Amino acid sequence: MAVSSLMRLCRRGEGFQTYRTGNNKLGRIGARGVALGLIFGLLAAGALAQSPVLLERKANRTLKIPETPPSGGFLTETAFGSLRFTDPVVITAPPGETNRLFVVEQVGRIIVITNLVNPTRSIFMDIDARVSGGVPSDERGLLGLAFHPGYSTNRLFFVFYTATSGSTDRLSRFEAAPNNPNQGLPDSEVVLINQRDDAGNHNGGDLHFGPDGYLYVSLGDEGGANDQYDNSQRINRDFFAGILRIDVDKRSGSLPPNSHVAASANYAVPPDNPFVGASTFNGLPVDPGTVRTEFWAVGLRNPWRMSFDRPSGRLYVGDVGQGAREEIDVIVKGGNYGWNYREGNIAGPRRTPPEGFVAIDPIYDYGRRDGLSVTGGVVYRGDRFPEIFAHYIFADYGTGNIWALGYDAVGAVNVRRLAGDSGITAFGVDPSNGDVLFADNGEDRIKRLVASPNVTGTPIPTLLSETGAFSDLESLKPSEGIVPYELNVPFWSDHALKTRWFAVRDNDRKIGFDRGGNWAFPSGMVWIKHFELELTRGVSESARRLETRFLVRNTNGVYGITYRWNDAQNDAALVPEEGFDETFTIDDRGIPRTQVWHYPSRSQCLACHTPEAGYALGFRTSQLNRDHDFGDAQGNQIRALSDAGYFETRVEDIHTLPSAAAADDSSQSLEYRVRSYLAANCSQCHQPGGPGLGVFDARLTTATSEAGLVNGDLLNRFGNSNVRVTRPGAPDQSMLLRRIATLGSGRMPPLASSVLDQAAIELVAEWISSDLANFQSFAEWQTEHFGSIDAPEASATADPDADGTTNLLEYLAGRNPNSSADSWKVSIQRAGDAVHIQFPKIANRSFEIQVATDLFSPAPWRPMNHPGNKPFFPAQDSVGVFQDLIVPGGSIFYRVRIATP
């Protein structure tokens, strides 16, 4: 957050006067500041004009890496040998397991496949005698299975089935045998919901635990046709036509369900469910005591299979239509998906909705030309097929079409057909490799999606020496038009030494510059990153070349490839699409240890290089704003790129641009160094719209007080109600620290890293223990000094001690708002032809001097462009003294902006 102090210098003869007009908030509270400094007017401009030419832009004509990778079609093949299943409707695996798979048979059996390389089929649990339906053309039966997030220790799993007793839809909990992980216990059943269902179709019944640890349940509209039971637009009747979200652990703070004959005391309702306390629905009044608060979303007809995409947190549903449209929906909290007023994107059987009705359109729907009955699918996150990575794979039961649907952060959708196979009733994921699996009801088999051998397009060179990237491979001298660059805070890569280059192949292609956000890159731009690893830590002569990676921008996004250096260290070969691991023995200061190096799959490149992150993670202002040795001269990289013509428009005010701070730069504040580390290592996922599920915002442009970092809530606290993203003064209750200090499945960033970043761990631990122990939000500061945030004298713009400094500025400067003797002051003096500005510089605050000559123009203020005015968050208090040369004529106004990280 930032505010400014304003002064006016009237240039009338030799005299001057100053006065404070108040403290002016820049934008909203929490807008980021940039820093402090001074300027020497025309002298500074002249110095910039006389600076040496650092870089000459040249087109690259040597690269043989295709702009778009070669691609092929897909086929389907039988998985797991000759194993057969009776009416399979669910394919799933317990969380964290990689060598077991479970298949639900609609007739009432759960099958477990063990040892997926040499698969064996056995019955995990048989409740056939309790299950009604499960015959051809009957949608009843055993329909859902979900394993508890803590299944490895509590052995709990949940099923949804149509019970023979009274034709009811039943949600129940079971346990696995304590001494036999491949045996469920039928007698352990605990019923959660038991509701009468008068039809044999539209049961839904799919079950999934969300990233938040709650159980989501899909429900049809009870059946028949045209919503004949009138269930679809109701939240105060029964459990039909929507998605439920319930708390099976009955956590502290969760609520009991409202009374209903189908409900029980064996679960609770999350307090943030959208219809808790609802008194209206579709603009019409409802009694809050009769609302089914279990609902998460409504307006679905027959949601046949749903799934969570874990990295993005999206819940996808395939909703079967009536007679015209099939649809794919992304489910959001409180969403109404239209049935029966809508069927896909057209009108439904009930024509006149109430005035308060607002429907969410499907992200994709299709008509009878393409299919008859949609089967919801899964998002592919495996390593073998990068061209469908992060795509939602779904099918049509009637026509057998299998499609891949791309859905980006701004809601753009693209769909293409991959293959065909009839009678697909469910999708799943092979836990051993991420392959897409599906249940073929016609053949009673589990199948998988595989690549066709027919590939089209320009092939990728098989050797690094064939790429045209280097004119001399031995010295790694880049070819003409390939430019080296450096970062302020490199991404952690297990102690690897990294060298970086980029190329924009044609000189007419430009980069869109952005001061704080993502840059816009032209199609055909290429980034190259080379990795070496010291086999004896600290001995540069022991470094071994490991791999050289390429990232290529095209109209579809980016794709990545990597080359592994051979034992002779004279060339590198293209790594297979799925990547692989290699083991090295490292002499770590006299102690031998084994280090696994992971060569990433092409899909893993896409997991981090996302649209939300701007594709090229380090190629941004805060990372490139530093000096670099260009051979003939040394200077700022962004200025060099701008002068060479790489940007669409020239970048001005270079000295006012933000820079990330290295972890070992003790001149900068601990908090800013932590934020710089998080921006480099976490922001690709943890930002709005990113796969971090909104837990916190790691971007440097978001103030710590607004980033969800301090006491930020978590989707899953793993049974410890005290744990937060970070808890001030409590490292042991700070999930952020736990994740970066963990190897294996809990590791963040979620990479194949085998070495902990001890420097980062110590940095974050010190921040939580020391700085955050004294962290105080503005609201807490208001309460401390005024008793309440609502007190009149507590407002951000109030000045209760009449010292000319607002409360917000007093808070930022660490001053007492009730003492006029304790205020943050800026002084200004004239000395000959110069103006001297002086003020206290406070640790962990940035200061920026801004000037204006006309306060009434639309944008009067601009930062002073001088090295001393660069963004900086000092580690220690000091005094800032700055000078500006007087230019005759008119008036000039000064203000100083103070901001937090």
Side-chain angles (χ1 to χ4, degrees), residues 14 16 23 67 84 94 118 199 226 256 294 337 339 367 396 442 472 499 510 520 560 662 723 733 809-810 860 901:
E14 297 299 317
F16 66 90
N23 304 301
E67 189 168 311
R84 287 185 172 273
N118 296 300
N226 295 313
E294 293 89 340
Y337 294 85
W339 178 254
D396 188 86
D472 183 354
T499 313
K510 305 284 187 177
V723 172
Q733 297 176 17
L809 185 54
E810 302 257 30

Side-chain angles (χ1 to χ4, degrees), residues 245-260:
R245 176 184 185 245
I246 63 173
D247 177 6
V248 299
D249 299 311
K250 302 176 70 173
R251 305 175 192 175
S252 175
S254 288
L255 309 171
N258 285 335
S259 177
H260 190 279

Side-chain angles (χ1 to χ4, degrees), residues 726-775:
T726 63
R727 182 176 283 279
D732 60 324
Q733 297 176 17
S734 298
M735 185 62 70
L736 175 68
L737 179 61
R738 182 187 303 181
R739 288 299 185 93
I740 67 172
T742 299
L743 290 176
S745 61
R747 170 77 164 156
M748 286 292 171
L751 303 171
S753 174
S754 63
V755 181
L756 295 176
D757 186 351
Q758 292 294 343
I761 294 169
E762 293 170 8
L763 184 77
V764 174
E766 182 184 357
W767 177 58
I768 295 171
S769 300
S770 59
D771 277 22
L772 281 192
N774 301 313
F775 180 85

Side-chain angles (χ1 to χ4, degrees), residues 672-742:
Y672 193 65
R673 285 182 280 155
V674 168
R675 291 301 311 276
S676 296
Y677 167 82
L678 296 178
N681 289 272
C682 308
S683 66
Q684 65 268 26
C685 291
H686 288 280
Q687 61 173 283
L693 308 183
V695 173
F696 61 88
D697 187 350
R699 296 174 300 172
L700 270 177
T701 50
T702 303
T704 302
S705 58
E706 296 184 344
L709 285 164
V710 183
N711 286 317
D713 205 358
L714 298 160
L715 295 175
N716 190 345
R717 298 182 189 172
F718 298 96
N720 187 341
S721 61
N722 294 320
V723 172
R724 296 292 186 272
V725 175
T726 63
R727 182 176 283 279
D732 60 324
Q733 297 176 17
S734 298
M735 185 62 70
L736 175 68
L737 179 61
R738 182 187 303 181
R739 288 299 185 93
I740 67 172
T742 299

Side-chain angles (χ1 to χ4, degrees), residues 64-71 387 456-460 505 523-524 552-559:
K64 301 296 190 297
I65 303 292
E67 189 168 311
T68 302
S71 63
E387 61 189 290
T456 61
T458 303
I460 295 171
R505 301 191 216 203
S523 184
V552 184
R553 180 75 165 99
N554 55 44
T555 55
N556 296 321
V558 292
Y559 79 94

Side-chain angles (χ1 to χ4, degrees), residues 581-884:
D581 293 340
E582 187 172 13
T583 301
F584 296 94
T585 300
I586 307 297
D587 182 345
D588 198 344
R589 297 176 174 86
I591 301 174
R593 63 174 173 82
T594 298
Q595 179 168 334
V596 177
W597 184 263
H598 179 69
Y599 299 88
S601 72
R602 297 182 197 174
S603 295
Q604 286 175 320
C605 296
L606 303 179
C608 287
H609 293 278
T610 62
E612 296 82 8
Y615 295 117
L617 305 183
F619 219 74
R620 61 178 56 247
T621 303
S622 60
Q623 287 280 33
L624 293 183
N625 187 19
R626 57 167 293 162
D627 282 352
H628 175 73
D629 186 352
F630 290 90
D632 295 332
Q634 186 169 356
N636 183 273
Q637 291 183 126
I638 294 178
R639 180 166 68 83
L641 296 178
S642 179
D643 290 347
Y646 278 98
F647 296 122
E648 293 175 350
T649 57
R650 182 175 177 81
V651 180
E652 306 291 348
D653 296 339
I654 295 291
H655 298 300
T656 69
L657 299 176
S659 299
D664 59 356
D665 183 1
S666 58
S667 68
Q668 303 217 47
S669 73
L670 181 59
E671 180 178 338
Y672 193 65
R673 285 182 280 155
V674 168
R675 291 301 311 276
S676 296
Y677 167 82
L678 296 178
N681 289 272
C682 308
S683 66
Q684 65 268 26
C685 291
H686 288 280
Q687 61 173 283
L693 308 183
V695 173
F696 61 88
D697 187 350
R699 296 174 300 172
L700 270 177
T701 50
T702 303
T704 302
S705 58
E706 296 184 344
L709 285 164
V710 183
N711 286 317
D713 205 358
L714 298 160
L715 295 175
N716 190 345
R717 298 182 189 172
F718 298 96
N720 187 341
S721 61
N722 294 320
V723 172
R724 296 292 186 272
V725 175
T726 63
R727 182 176 283 279
D732 60 324
Q733 297 176 17
S734 298
M735 185 62 70
L736 175 68
L737 179 61
R738 182 187 303 181
R739 288 299 185 93
I740 67 172
T742 299
L743 290 176
S745 61
R747 170 77 164 156
M748 286 292 171
L751 303 171
S753 174
S754 63
V755 181
L756 295 176
D757 186 351
Q758 292 294 343
I761 294 169
E762 293 170 8
L763 184 77
V764 174
E766 182 184 357
W767 177 58
I768 295 171
S769 300
S770 59
D771 277 22
L772 281 192
N774 301 313
F775 180 85
Q776 191 176 48
S777 69
F778 183 53
E780 292 168 336
W781 181 89
Q782 290 171 300
T783 302
E784 176 188 346
H785 290 285
F786 306 109
S788 168
I789 63 173
D790 298 321
E793 65 274 20
S795 72
T797 57
D799 181 14
D801 58 2
D803 63 353
T805 305
T806 65
N807 280 334
L808 183 56
L809 185 54
E810 302 257 30
Y811 161 72
L812 292 172
R815 299 299 192 257
N816 184 348
N818 295 310
S819 172
S820 60
D822 184 26
S823 64
W824 186 75
K825 298 288 187 180
V826 178
S827 65
I828 183 169
Q829 297 178 349
R830 178 171 179 170
D833 292 333
V835 175
H836 292 274
I837 304 170
Q838 182 172 314
F839 55 86
K841 290 167 57 179
I842 303 161
N844 199 34
R845 296 292 186 265
S846 76
F847 302 85
E848 180 184 79
I849 297 179
Q850 299 177 341
V851 296
T853 56
D854 178 7
L855 293 183
F856 300 101
S857 62
W861 294 102
R862 60 179 178 83
M864 301 173 76
N865 184 34
H866 187 275
N869 206 28
K870 68 179 181 180
F872 192 81
F873 292 86
Q876 304 293 333
D877 293 346
S878 63
V879 176
V881 180
F882 306 97
Q883 178 178 310
D884 188 17

Side-chain angles (χ1 to χ4, degrees), residues 133-207:
V135 297
S137 75
D138 192 330
E139 296 178 15
R140 297 175 298 166
L142 181 56
L143 302 175
L145 167 66
F147 294 92
H148 192 280
Y151 177 76
S152 62
T153 56
N154 65 25
R155 310 189 319 278
L156 299 179
F157 62 97
F158 297 78
V159 303
F160 187 102
Y161 66 96
T162 310
T164 55
S165 56
S167 295
T168 57
D169 293 330
R170 182 174 295 171
L171 172 65
S172 291
R173 185 189 74 207
F174 290 86
E175 294 182 29
N179 301 318
N180 184 355
N182 295 319
Q183 183 64 60
L185 300 176
D187 293 338
S188 65
E189 181 173 17
V190 175
V191 177
L192 278 68
I193 295 176
N194 192 56
Q195 175 173 254
R196 179 170 178 80
D197 189 330
D198 289 329
N201 59 345
H202 302 186
N203 300 81
D206 207 6
L207 305 178

